[in-house]
Amino acid sequence: MRSLVGPVPEPAERAASALRRCPRSTLELGADTSEVSLVHQVPDTADLWVALPMADVATVGFGGVRARLEVLDEITGGAAEGRCRRIVVVEGLLELPGVRAQRSTAARIARDLPDPVLLDVGAGVALVRLRASRIVLTDSSGVTDIDPEDLATSGPDPFADLEGHWLDHLNDPRCQVVPRMALRVCRCLPSERPLLVGIDRVGVDIELVGRDGRVHRERLPFTEECTSATELGTQLRLLAGASRYPLDRAALRP
């Protein structure tokens, strides 16, 4: 199987995308662990707003407390849904603002990241601020320490919010785009259908089962960086061996 390795987003961007999606995460406060329902990066900083059950904030006293946030970036669309592809760990000082400040912050967050949990801030949920001092990304590339300043000046992939819809659509057995992409890295398709497990602005990640029964992940780079859904659709068509301008313009739209 010929390897085709293309450019990938920087570690800080991959971490920011995982924090943006945040399908499952936990917050460790000493010996206690709490499930987190929402994480939102404070613009232009490495700080994070974390939605925590009100019952779990009693240990956050005046001056804050040291905490450790672990975010599992799980695939949210297609046959590979629920599979973890990277882990982001953020350590720092956790602070608890007043209820009025929490509600004001929730209103600002809702403009960018609407989530029903924000309606419960000040009642069943508290918004706490995690001031990051250490950030660690673990994925297929290994373990990487990320400077908080890099996270502050980076941002999530432009398709982080919509990636699950694209994966769900393209991994549908009725869609032949992914098998056509797979032919770029193998001469004949394996008996088990290839899976698209990642989409970002510069390429896609695809998984195939080799003759040895092992799963191989391949990187397929785009010829051009994408910033819009139209550009993404074009690059996906090109990877599948189609023309830049299809007759059916809705063919690759999720």
Side-chain angles (χ1 to χ4, degrees):
M1 189 177 295
R2 182 171 60 88
S3 177
L4 181 61
V5 180
V8 296
E10 293 295 318
E13 183 177 336
R14 299 203 300 272
S17 298
L19 293 170
R20 174 76 179 189
R21 284 186 289 263
C22 188
R24 188 155 62 95
S25 58
T26 56
L27 185 70
E28 295 180 9
L29 294 169
D32 299 324
T33 301
S34 303
E35 294 290 330
V36 171
S37 50
L38 178 141
V39 172
H40 184 268
Q41 184 178 347
V42 181
D44 303 319
T45 76
D47 295 354
L48 303 171
W49 286 109
V50 180
L52 201 60
M54 191 68 76
D56 296 333
V57 300
T59 56
V60 185
F62 179 78
V65 64
R66 301 296 301 177
R68 180 181 185 273
L69 176 70
E70 182 178 278
V71 174
L72 303 183
D73 187 18
E74 297 177 340
I75 299 172
T76 57
E81 183 163 0
R83 187 185 304 172
C84 181
R85 55 188 166 182
R86 61 178 63 94
I87 301 174
V88 180
V89 174
V90 182
E91 298 176 352
L93 184 67
L94 193 70
E95 300 174 343
L96 177 64
V99 174
R100 180 176 296 182
Q102 292 180 44
R103 288 174 174 164
S104 175
T105 300
R108 292 197 301 271
I109 293 175
R111 300 189 192 105
D112 177 53
L113 187 64
D115 194 299
V117 73
L118 294 171
L119 298 174
D120 202 24
V121 170
V125 172
L127 269 182
V128 292
R129 183 163 181 157
L130 179 60
R131 298 190 180 275
S133 59
R134 188 183 181 214
I135 305 165
V136 180
L137 170 69
T138 303
D139 59 11
S140 58
S141 300
V143 180
T144 307
D145 276 288
I146 298 174
D147 191 308
E149 285 297 321
D150 289 341
L151 185 66
T153 55
S154 181
D157 185 84
F159 307 107
D161 292 341
L162 298 175
E163 184 196 40
H165 298 290
W166 284 93
L167 292 178
D168 193 46
H169 170 67
L170 295 172
N171 282 319
D172 189 301
R174 295 168 294 182
C175 180
Q176 295 304 308
V177 172
V178 177
R180 290 171 185 168
M181 289 181 182
L183 291 174
R184 286 181 170 269
V185 291
C186 60
R187 293 185 177 180
C188 57
L189 292 177
S191 57
E192 190 170 332
R193 179 185 170 88
L195 285 179
L196 199 61
V197 295
I199 300 176
D200 53 62
R201 61 183 174 83
V202 291
V204 301
D205 295 310
I206 192 169
E207 285 189 354
L208 307 97
V209 178
R211 295 181 180 178
D212 55 1
R214 298 175 59 187
V215 175
H216 300 264
R217 177 173 295 187
E218 301 289 342
R219 178 70 176 178
L220 299 178
F222 296 146
T223 57
E224 300 172 4
E225 180 182 342
C226 304
T227 58
S228 68
T230 300
E231 293 172 349
L232 178 60
T234 297
Q235 292 302 315
L236 290 172
R237 285 192 293 273
L238 293 176
L239 280 183
S243 63
R244 178 177 287 270
Y245 303 105
L247 295 177
D248 181 8
R249 294 184 179 272
L252 287 177
R253 190 177 304 154

